[in-house]
């Protein structure tokens, strides 16, 4: 078996919090007993609090791609015209599902180091009043770039369209809530910034989207893609469509406890500080960030361009073998052009950005480049020396709470 790297700084899967792993070993609960219904209802309640929803969220058993596909299958009907916003690999990929169900899919694309401009969304909607659904990826992880989700949500709502958002790698790392952003189907994962394991899709569905799904004769029923079936499970914790993935649900339960106890603002601050330190350190090393502007760089992943003449696998393996640091490769259009440092869940710890920068300095020298590791480390440390923008530091307890085991 592969030994786990000492520093797992990937963009997913991430190392789960120890409390999550402990919870996953809890004994089975029989789903035909009310004890299970009570437990499941409490997990749904915690997720509802984390998502700040007025209605019940859904938990689908399958990693986030299941939730994304189920959203398309349930909401998009044969007469729909879909506007798919593309700023990266995941956004582009959504068209595959949209085309399966819609009458037409219109693409609005920007270069993959850029973000969607709401003004262009407004123009696209004005040009095609028949657009009924908008699909968008909030944080396109292979690029490390953020789209202005709330602005897009409000434009969609004003147009009378429904918005499906992939918030898989953003939720839990920054201030985003489905209802505030006017998103009709908001899909996230337990396995990215919440620091649990891959296996569950977490969905928020608006009231108006439920009405539409229930009126859509093509929406799947008695299927893994059926949001209607998973809704029954969320409501009652019974009529469970399949045997519950107990270990995953227990892990999610513990991850939500950690998130709610540490406090979302503190969790976001950890992600933001870690990413800011990584960006400062990389720039001081002479590396170039992939996002065209730092304003659109995500707090949960820092993506940088490979220096001329250094292959991605070579740099990744040098980082791993010499320094014990695992980074992610690019994906799709960014494959072979970038490496990515994940700051998700337990990896969103500012000192880990310093570790990544130090290792990169070492690895670049190893590969014959003149990189000043000390300059990089100092630039990253300078971010850590600044006071945090929230109360996490003055209180002093955020770190302790983040890694505490509630059991
Ligand atoms: C990780 C991720 C997904 C989900 O992919 P899985 O293969 O199901 O883990 C979807 N969208 C984005 C933006 C992601 O980062």
């Amino acid at each position: 078996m592969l030994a786990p790297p000492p520093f797992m700084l990937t963009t997913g899967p991430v190392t789960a919090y120890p409390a999550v792993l402990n919870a996953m070993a809890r004994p089975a609960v029989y789903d035909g007993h009310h004890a299970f219904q009570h437990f499941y209802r409490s997990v749904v309640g915690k997720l509802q609090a984390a998502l700040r929803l007025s209605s019940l969220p859904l938990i689908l058993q399958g990693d986030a791609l299941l939730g994304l596909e189920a959203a398309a299958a349930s909401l998009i009907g044969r007469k729909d015209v879909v506007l798919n916003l593309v700023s990266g690999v995941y956004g582009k990929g959504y068209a595959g599902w949209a085309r399966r169900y819609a009458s037409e899919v219109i693409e609005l694309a920007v270069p993959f180091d850029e973000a969607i401009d709401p003004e262009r969304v407004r123009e696209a909607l004005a040009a095609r009043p028949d657009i009924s659904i908008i699909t968008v990826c909030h944080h396109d992880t292979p690029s490390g770039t953020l789209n202005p989700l709330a602005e897009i949500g409000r434009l969609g709502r004003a147009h009378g369209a429904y918005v499906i958002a992939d918030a898989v790698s953003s939720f839990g790392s920054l201030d985003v809530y489905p209802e505030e952003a006017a998103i009709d189907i908001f899909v996230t994962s337990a396995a990215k910034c919440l620091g649990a394991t891959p296996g569950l899709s977490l969905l928020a569905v608006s009231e108006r989207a439920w009405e539409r799904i229930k009126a859509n004769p093509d929406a799947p029923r008695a299927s893994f893609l059926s949001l209607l079936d998973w809704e029954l499970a969320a409501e009652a914790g019974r009529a469970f469509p399949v045997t519950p993935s107990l270990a995953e649900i227990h892990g999610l339960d513990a991850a939500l406890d950690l998130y709610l106890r540490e406090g979302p603002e503190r969790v976001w601050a950890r992600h933001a500080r870690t990413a800011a330190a990584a960006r400062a350190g990389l720039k001081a090393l002479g590396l170039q960030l992939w996002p065209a502007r730092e304003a659109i760089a995500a707090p949960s992943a820092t993506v940088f361009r490979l220096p001329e003449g250094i292959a991605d696998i070579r740099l990744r393996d040098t980082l791993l073998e010499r320094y014990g640091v695992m980074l992610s490769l690019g994906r799709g259009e960014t494959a072979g052009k970038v490496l990515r440092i994940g700051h998700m869940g337990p990896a969103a710890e500012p000192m880990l950005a310093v570790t990544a920068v130090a290792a990169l300095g070492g690895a670049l020298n190893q590969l014959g480049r003149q990189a000043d590791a000390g300059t990089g480390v100092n630039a990253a440390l300078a971010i850590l020396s600044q006071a945090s923008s929230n109360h996490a530091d003055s209180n002093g307890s955020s770190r302790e709470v983040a890694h505490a085991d509630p059991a």
Side-chain angles (χ1 to χ4, degrees):
M1 208 197 100
L2 262 164
F7 303 100
M8 179 79 170
L9 305 182
T10 48
T11 56
V14 303
T15 297
Y17 288 106
V20 168
L21 297 175
N22 286 343
M24 292 179 81
R26 286 178 201 157
V29 192
Y30 173 49
D31 61 302
H33 190 270
H34 60 76
F36 172 77
Q37 290 152 24
H38 181 78
F39 164 66
Y40 193 73
R41 212 30 206 85
S42 85
V43 180
V44 169
K46 288 173 193 177
L47 181 59
Q48 182 178 12
L51 288 163
R52 236 196 248 166
L53 285 182
S54 55
S55 59
L56 296 181
L58 307 189
I59 302 170
L60 276 57
Q61 295 185 182
D63 203 59
L65 289 184
L66 171 65
L68 291 166
E69 183 177 355
S74 299
L75 191 70
I76 304 176
R78 285 175 215 186
K79 291 184 189 139
D80 280 314
V81 175
V82 175
L83 175 64
N84 186 39
L85 305 179
V86 177
S87 61
V89 174
Y90 282 100
K92 190 171 180 66
Y94 208 83
W97 290 318
R99 261 186 225 112
R100 195 195 293 161
Y101 304 105
S103 85
E104 186 183 348
V105 177
I106 300 165
E107 189 179 276
L108 194 172
V110 295
F112 283 13
D113 59 352
E114 262 298 344
I116 300 289
D117 176 358
E119 199 44 50
R120 289 192 55 203
V121 176
R122 197 191 310 272
E123 288 163 13
L125 292 172
R128 288 292 301 265
D130 57 344
I131 289 170
S132 48
I133 297 197
I134 300 172
T135 53
V136 60
C137 182
H138 188 198
H139 169 211
D140 219 307
T141 327
S143 305
T145 49
L146 286 174
N147 281 315
L149 191 67
E151 284 177 73
I152 292 164
R154 280 184 223 115
L155 284 171
R157 192 64 56 94
H159 185 78
Y162 295 78
V163 182
I164 298 174
D166 172 347
V168 173
S169 63
S170 60
F171 181 74
S173 74
L174 49 70
D175 184 359
V176 64
Y177 289 106
E179 288 180 1
E180 283 172 22
I183 302 303
D184 292 291
I185 304 188
F186 180 98
V187 182
T188 191
S189 167
K192 300 268 168 95
C193 304
L194 290 176
T197 57
L200 300 176
S201 299
L202 314 176
L203 275 78
V205 181
S206 71
E207 282 309 320
R208 63 199 285 273
W210 273 128
E211 283 166 25
R212 196 174 204 268
I213 291 167
K214 285 170 184 164
N216 177 8
D218 298 325
R221 283 159 176 85
S223 159
F224 249 62
L225 295 176
S226 168
L227 295 188
L228 294 160
D229 287 29
W230 293 111
E231 186 198 22
L232 285 180
E235 268 175 6
R238 63 191 146 80
F240 216 86
V242 287
T243 304
S245 295
L246 287 165
E248 302 296 346
I249 297 164
H250 278 126
L252 173 65
D253 183 45
L256 290 169
D257 280 341
L258 290 174
Y259 184 70
L260 294 170
R261 267 187 232 160
E262 183 177 355
E265 288 81 4
R266 285 189 188 153
V267 180
W268 304 336
R270 267 201 287 126
H271 284 81
R273 274 164 79 75
T274 309
R279 292 195 301 269
L282 293 182
K283 286 189 296 176
L285 279 179
L287 290 166
Q288 204 188 340
L289 301 177
W290 174 267
R293 290 162 285 128
E294 276 195 63
I296 60 170
S300 54
T302 298
V303 182
F304 61 93
R305 290 175 192 270
L306 289 159
E308 219 27 65
I310 295 185
D312 56 352
I313 306 256
R314 185 123 190 270
L315 183 54
R316 186 206 53 192
D317 288 350
T318 305
L319 288 164
L320 183 60
E321 286 155 18
R322 304 276 170 158
Y323 308 100
V325 173
M326 177 77 93
L327 300 190
S328 285
L329 301 172
R331 197 179 162 112
E333 293 200 17
T334 66
K337 298 179 187 157
V338 303
L339 282 189
R340 302 182 287 157
I341 310 172
H343 325 293
M344 297 177 177
E349 185 59 56
M351 198 58 196
L352 291 175
V354 179
T355 304
V357 168
L360 271 164
L364 289 173
N365 280 307
Q366 203 91 46
L367 297 174
R369 302 303 159 106
Q370 249 79 70
D372 188 344
T375 303
V377 165
N378 278 328
L381 284 174
I383 301 289
L384 272 59
S385 316
Q386 291 166 12
S388 176
S389 57
N390 76 5
H391 307 300
D393 280 1
S394 55
N395 178 296
S397 66
S398 70
R399 205 170 313 272
E400 208 179 308
V401 176
H403 297 289
D405 185 346

